[in-house]
C-alpha cells in the first residue's frame, strides 16, 4: 500500500446516511457510539441474553452469531528468531532499507508470542466468541519443507487450548503472507512446486491441531500477494512483474485447492478461502465505464471466486491476459478441479469499493481513512455479501476482516478515544445485518484487528486495533471501540 494521505473521515455525513439506510434510527447510532464497558456477562455461555434482551438499536443478529476479531502471525507475534522459527519473505523485505515506513519490521511487533496469555484474557474480557489468527509457516517449517519444528507447533497448541479454555472458537488461517524465505529462494509462488509444499505444510498443521481447530482458512487475500507483492512491489517479495503476478495467482489458487484436499484426507473441520472482495462500480453511466468495471471486477473478485466456487477462471480475464500469458500457459489439466474442491465456507474481507472509469482507471467517491486506498462506504458491505450469495449460492459466509486505521493516541487519563472506529463498525455492521435480513447466510464477523500491529509497508504508523498497543512498554489498553464492541457482543446486536 502506498504512502498514506491523511484525511479527515467525514463522520457526520456518514452517520447521517447510515441512519437513513437503516431505517432512520439515529438513536441507535448515538447509543452505540456512547457504549459503555460495564455489566457484560460472558456471552459464550449466555444464550438467554440473546433471546431476551433486544439491542438498543433493534438490529439483532442470529442466535449464536460468531462475534470475533482477527490478527495475523507476522503482524503481532514478534519473536522472530525464537524457538527455531525460520526466516520469511517479510523478514527479508522489512529489513531491506526503504521498504517499510521508518524501517519498521515485525521482529518484535506486539510481542504476542510472549504475551499470548494476556491477549487471550483480553479476548475473554471482550466476550469474543471467535478468534481468527494465522499460523506462521516458517515457525512450523523453518526451511519451508522437511521435519516440523515442534516448538512452533507447541505455541499454536497453547494458543488454541487457551482459546477453548475461555470459550472462544479458534479460526486458523494457514498462510497470511509470511512465506518461508527458503521457498522464495526456490522460486516463491512463481514455482508450481511451492503450491505442493503448502499442501505438505497444511497437512502437518492439520495433524497437529485438527482436533482443536474447527475452522480453517487457506490463503489470506491471494489478490494482495498478486497485486502488492508482484504488480506494484510494495509488499514482499517486492516485484513489479505483471506476467509473473498472474502465474502467482494461479499457483495460490492451486495451493488453496491442494490444502482443501489435504484436510479432507487427514480429518475433520471446515475449510474455505479468505478473499478480500471489492465491489467494482462504474464511475459514470456510460457503457464504456460499465464494461471497464466488469473487467475490473474480473481481476478483483471473479478470478478468485469463480475458480474456487465455479471451477473456471473468468473468460474475460483470461482473454485479457492472453493465451500466451504465463498464467494461461501455467494452467494444467485437472488444476481447476483441484482448485474447486468443495469448500465449507467463504471468508469475506471487505474494506473498500472501487469506482472504475471508462478508460479503465479508478476514481474516488467517498472519504478515505488514514489508509488512502480505503474509501469508507458501508453499503459496499451489503453489496458484496448479497452479490456473493446471489452469484455463488447459499454457501456459509464469515466476515473475517473489516476495520480501519484511526489516529489513536493514549490520553493522560489512560483512555483511547477512537470514535471514528465505532462509527465505521456500527455502519458496516448495520449493512451486514441488512444482508442477513435479505437472506445472506452470514455466521460470524471479525473486526480487523484485535490489536494494533505491524501494518506491512506502513509499519506501526497506522493503528487498526480495538486494543491500543503502547509499543515501548507493550502495554495493552482497550480503546473506546473495544468497550463498545463488548456491548454489541453482549447484546448480540446494535
Ligand atoms: O493488515 C491487513 C491484513 O493483514 C490483511 N487485510 C488488510 C489489513 C489492513 O490493511
Amino acid at each position: 500500500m502506498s504512502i498514506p494521505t491523511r484525511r479527515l473521515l467525514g463522520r457526520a455525513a456518514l452517520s447521517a446516511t447510515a441512519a437513513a439506510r437503516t431505517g432512520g434510527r439515529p438513536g441507535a447510532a448515538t447509543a452505540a457510539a456512547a457504549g459503555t464497558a460495564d455489566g457484560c456477562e460472558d456471552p459464550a455461555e449466555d444464550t438467554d441474553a440473546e433471546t431476551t434482551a433486544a439491542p438498543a438499536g433493534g438490529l439483532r443478529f442470529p442466535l449464536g452469531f460468531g462475534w470475533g476479531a482477527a490478527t495475523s502471525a507476522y503482524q503481532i507475534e514478534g519473536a522472530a528468531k525464537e524457538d527455531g522459527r525460520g526466516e520469511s519473505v517479510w523478514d527479508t523485505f522489512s529489513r531491506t532499507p526503504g521498504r517499510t515506513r521508518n524501517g519498521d519490521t515485525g521482529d518484535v511487533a506486539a510481542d504476542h508470542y510472549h504475551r499470548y496469555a494476556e491477549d487471550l484474557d483480553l479476548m475473554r474480557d471482550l466476550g469474543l466468541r471467535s478468534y481468527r489468527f494465522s499460523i506462521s509457516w516458517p515457525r512450523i517449517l523453518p526451511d519451508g519443507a522437511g521435519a516440523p519444528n515442534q516448538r512452533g507447533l507447541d505455541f499454536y497448541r497453547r494458543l488454541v487450548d487457551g482459546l477453548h479454555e475461555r470459550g472462544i472458537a479458534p479460526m486458523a488461517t494457514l498462510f497470511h503472507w509470511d512465506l518461508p524465505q527458503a521457498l522464495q529462494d526456490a522460486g516463491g509462488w512463481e514455482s508450481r512446486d511451492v503450491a505442493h509444499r503448502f499442501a505438505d505444510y497444511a497437512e502437518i498443521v492439520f495433524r497437529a491441531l485438527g482436533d482443536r481447530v474447527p475452522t480453517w482458512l487457506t490463503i489470506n487475500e491471494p489478490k494482495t500477494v498478486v497485486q502488492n507483492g508482484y504488480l506494484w512491489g510494495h509488499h514482499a517479495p517486492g516485484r513489479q512483474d505483471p506476467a509473473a503476478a498472474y502465474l502467482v495467482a494461479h499457483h495460490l489458487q492451486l495451493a488453496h485447492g491442494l490444502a482443501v484436499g489435504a484436510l479432507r484426507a487427514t480429518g475433520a473441520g471446515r475449510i474455505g478461502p479468505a478473499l478480500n472482495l471489492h465491489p467494482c462500480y462504474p464511475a459514470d453511466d456510460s457503457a464504456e465505464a460499465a464494461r471497464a468495471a466488469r473487467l475490473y471486477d474480473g481481476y478483483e473478485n471473479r478470478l478468485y471466486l469463480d475458480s474456487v466456487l465455479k471451477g473456471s477462471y473468468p473468460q474475460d480475464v483470461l482473454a485479457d491476459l492472453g493465451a500466451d500469458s504465463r498464467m494461461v500457459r501455467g494452467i494444467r489439466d485437472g488444476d481447476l478441479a483441484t482448485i474447486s474442491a468443495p469448500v465449507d465456507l467463504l471468508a469475506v474481507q471487505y474494506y473498500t469499493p472501487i469506482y472504475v472509469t471508462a478508460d479503465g482507471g479508478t476514481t474516488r467517491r467517498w472519504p478515505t481513512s488514514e489508509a488512502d486506498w480505503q474509501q469508507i462506504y458501508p453499503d459496499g458491505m451489503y453489496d458484496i455479501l448479497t452479490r456473493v450469495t446471489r452469484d455463488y449460492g447459499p454457501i456459509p459466509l464469515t466476515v473475517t476482516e473489516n476495520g480501519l486505521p484511526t489516529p489513536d493516541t493514549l490520553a493522560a487519563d489512560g483512555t483511547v478515544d477512537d470514535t471514528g472506529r465505532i462509527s465505521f463498525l456500527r455502519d458496516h455492521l448495520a449493512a451486514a445485518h441488512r444482508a442477513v435480513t435479505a437472506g445472506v447466510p452470514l455466521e460470524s464477523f471479525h473486526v480487523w484487528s484485535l490489536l494494533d500491529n505491524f501494518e506491512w509497508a506502513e509499519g506501526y504508523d497506522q493503528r487498526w486495533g480495538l486494543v491500543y498497543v503502547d509499543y515501548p512498554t507493550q502495554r495493552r489498553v482497550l480503546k473506546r471501540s473495544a468497550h463498545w464492541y463488548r456491548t454489541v457482543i453482549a447484546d448480540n446486536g446494535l
Side-chain angles (χ1 to χ4, degrees):
M1 289 150 204
S2 51
I3 303 300
T5 311
R6 290 182 187 251
R7 297 180 186 205
L8 296 176
L9 295 183
R11 282 284 122 226
L14 264 177
S15 298
T17 53
R21 279 196 312 274
T22 53
R25 284 183 287 268
T30 313
T36 57
D38 302 323
C40 83
E41 298 154 343
D42 180 359
E45 294 165 7
D46 180 23
T47 49
D48 281 356
E50 294 175 20
T51 51
T52 55
L59 301 185
R60 186 197 297 273
F61 279 72
L63 191 65
F65 192 73
W67 297 101
T71 62
S72 89
Y74 189 75
Q75 292 180 271
I76 63 165
E77 284 180 3
K81 296 182 192 295
E82 282 181 52
D83 289 346
R85 177 186 179 277
E87 302 267 300
S88 81
V89 291
W90 268 97
D91 295 300
T92 309
F93 188 79
S94 64
R95 291 172 194 161
T96 304
R99 289 303 204 174
T100 65
R101 188 173 284 268
N102 307 318
D104 290 343
T105 72
D107 285 359
V108 178
D111 198 30
H112 171 75
Y113 190 78
H114 299 115
R115 296 168 194 266
Y116 74 93
E118 178 189 347
D119 293 338
L120 286 168
D121 286 345
L122 281 176
M123 294 180 220
R124 181 198 53 209
D125 295 346
L126 287 176
L128 294 193
R129 295 169 179 194
S130 179
Y131 175 53
R132 184 235 173 178
F133 61 99
S134 82
I135 294 175
S136 160
W137 188 347
R139 246 186 234 296
I140 308 304
L141 291 165
D143 298 319
N149 170 30
Q150 190 58 45
R151 287 176 294 173
L153 289 169
D154 289 347
F155 169 70
Y156 295 105
R157 165 63 66 169
R158 292 195 295 277
L159 182 70
V160 297
D161 284 351
L163 288 166
H164 284 290
E165 283 159 18
R166 291 163 179 82
I168 302 166
M171 181 182 282
T173 308
L174 290 165
F175 177 67
H176 199 123
W177 308 348
D178 45 358
L179 184 74
Q181 182 60 41
L183 293 182
Q184 185 64 39
D185 296 342
W189 288 109
E190 279 177 84
S191 160
R192 188 180 171 93
D193 185 58
V194 169
H196 291 278
R197 299 292 72 75
F198 179 68
D200 296 343
Y201 152 67
E203 184 178 333
I204 289 167
V205 174
F206 295 149
R207 289 194 191 285
L209 302 171
D211 59 330
R212 302 292 273 162
V213 176
T215 306
W216 297 95
L217 303 175
T218 52
I219 293 178
N220 180 72
E221 299 184 1
K223 181 174 67 188
T224 307
V225 177
V226 171
Q227 295 183 346
N228 293 25
Y230 282 85
L231 272 182
W232 308 320
H234 47 239
H235 276 193
R239 299 276 301 283
Q240 290 180 297
D241 184 342
Y246 289 96
L247 181 63
V248 163
H250 178 58
H251 290 159
L252 286 163
Q253 295 303 87
L254 184 63
H256 156 84
L258 290 167
V260 173
L263 183 80
R264 302 301 181 216
T266 52
R270 305 190 312 157
I271 194 163
L275 304 180
N276 54 332
L277 301 176
H278 298 335
C280 297
Y281 307 103
D284 59 50
D285 291 338
S286 68
E288 291 76 17
R291 254 195 308 276
R294 178 71 185 159
L295 180 60
Y296 218 101
D297 174 71
Y299 278 103
E300 291 289 328
N301 303 315
R302 285 179 287 118
L303 190 62
Y304 307 94
L305 286 165
D306 284 12
S307 49
V308 171
L309 298 171
K310 292 186 170 172
S312 58
Y313 283 119
Q315 285 306 317
D316 54 347
V317 174
L318 293 185
D320 193 62
L321 287 167
D324 283 341
S325 63
R326 287 184 71 192
M327 175 184 174
V328 174
R329 284 187 289 119
I331 301 171
R332 296 191 190 163
D333 285 351
D335 282 0
L336 267 306
T338 302
I339 294 169
S340 61
V343 292
D344 305 297
L345 78 166
L346 171 66
V348 175
Q349 316 199 152
Y350 171 70
Y351 287 98
T352 190
I354 296 177
Y355 291 88
V356 186
T357 53
D359 62 1
T362 60
T363 186
R364 288 186 186 142
R365 181 165 294 179
W366 305 100
T368 60
S369 73
E370 284 194 314
D372 67 351
W373 52 269
Q374 180 180 33
Q375 298 177 65
I376 299 176
Y377 183 57
D379 276 357
M381 173 71 87
Y382 174 84
D383 287 351
I384 202 67
L385 292 176
T386 51
R387 180 260 177 109
V388 166
T389 299
R390 187 174 58 244
D391 290 357
Y392 298 93
I395 180 170
L397 300 184
T398 169
V399 169
T400 39
E401 290 188 24
N402 178 240
L404 86 172
T406 51
D408 306 329
T409 51
L410 183 56
D413 65 359
T415 60
V416 181
D417 189 4
D418 60 336
T419 45
R421 179 165 290 102
I422 295 174
S423 303
F424 178 97
L425 291 174
R426 181 198 61 224
D427 294 347
H428 284 75
L429 279 168
H433 185 272
R434 276 199 299 135
V436 171
T437 304
V440 168
L442 180 67
E443 53 182 47
S444 55
F445 183 101
H446 301 77
V447 174
W448 184 269
S449 179
L450 175 69
L451 301 171
D452 290 340
N453 59 50
F454 175 78
E455 175 56 17
W456 308 110
E458 301 301 336
Y460 297 98
D461 263 20
Q462 291 182 2
R463 290 183 175 270
W464 291 76
L466 292 166
V467 177
Y468 184 90
V469 177
D470 180 45
Y471 293 111
T473 62
Q474 291 293 348
R475 185 175 149 226
R476 274 71 164 136
V477 178
L478 297 193
K479 299 180 191 176
R480 189 168 170 190
S481 62
H483 294 296
W484 171 83
Y485 194 47
R486 174 161 52 187
T487 305
V488 169
I489 296 171
D491 289 350
N492 198 38
L494 62 160

